[in-house]
Amino acid sequence: RKYRSASGGERRRADVALLLALGELAAGASGRPIGVRFFDEVFDCLDAQGQEAVVGNLLELAQAGPAVVVVTPSGVGELLRGKSSETP
């Protein structure tokens, strides 16, 4: 399926996957681990299931080592509350 014909949520999932993959490539190319990764409004256009999937991926990433900083509207922050250390 082409990116342009995908729904907004499908495109956002592809965008997040690309962000994660590019982070891994950057770490590999530099030979150093990435200490902090920032994600700005990665939950836009995602339904509840998509939001849960992205939260799971971000939590896995954070458990692997780098600090993960998520900038998101307050309503989506409820997904992370209790699962991570979040500062309002």
Side-chain angles (χ1 to χ4, degrees):
R1 184 174 198 175
K2 292 188 178 189
Y3 184 83
R4 288 185 191 185
S5 65
S7 70
E10 291 169 328
R11 286 193 307 264
R12 178 57 71 187
R13 283 186 177 198
D15 294 344
V16 171
L18 185 58
L19 284 171
L20 294 170
L22 288 173
E24 293 298 317
L25 286 173
S30 70
R32 298 181 305 177
I34 295 174
V36 180
R37 291 199 185 168
F38 293 89
F39 296 89
D40 186 16
E41 298 192 19
V42 293
F43 298 102
D44 289 356
C45 299
L46 292 175
D47 59 12
Q49 182 181 5
Q51 290 174 359
E52 287 285 340
V54 170
V55 166
N57 288 326
L58 295 177
L59 290 174
E60 283 181 33
L61 179 64
Q63 289 173 354
V68 174
V69 178
V70 179
V71 178
T72 186
S74 61
V76 180
E78 293 299 319
L79 286 171
L80 297 170
R81 203 173 309 281
K83 295 181 182 179
S84 66
S85 58
E86 177 186 358
T87 303

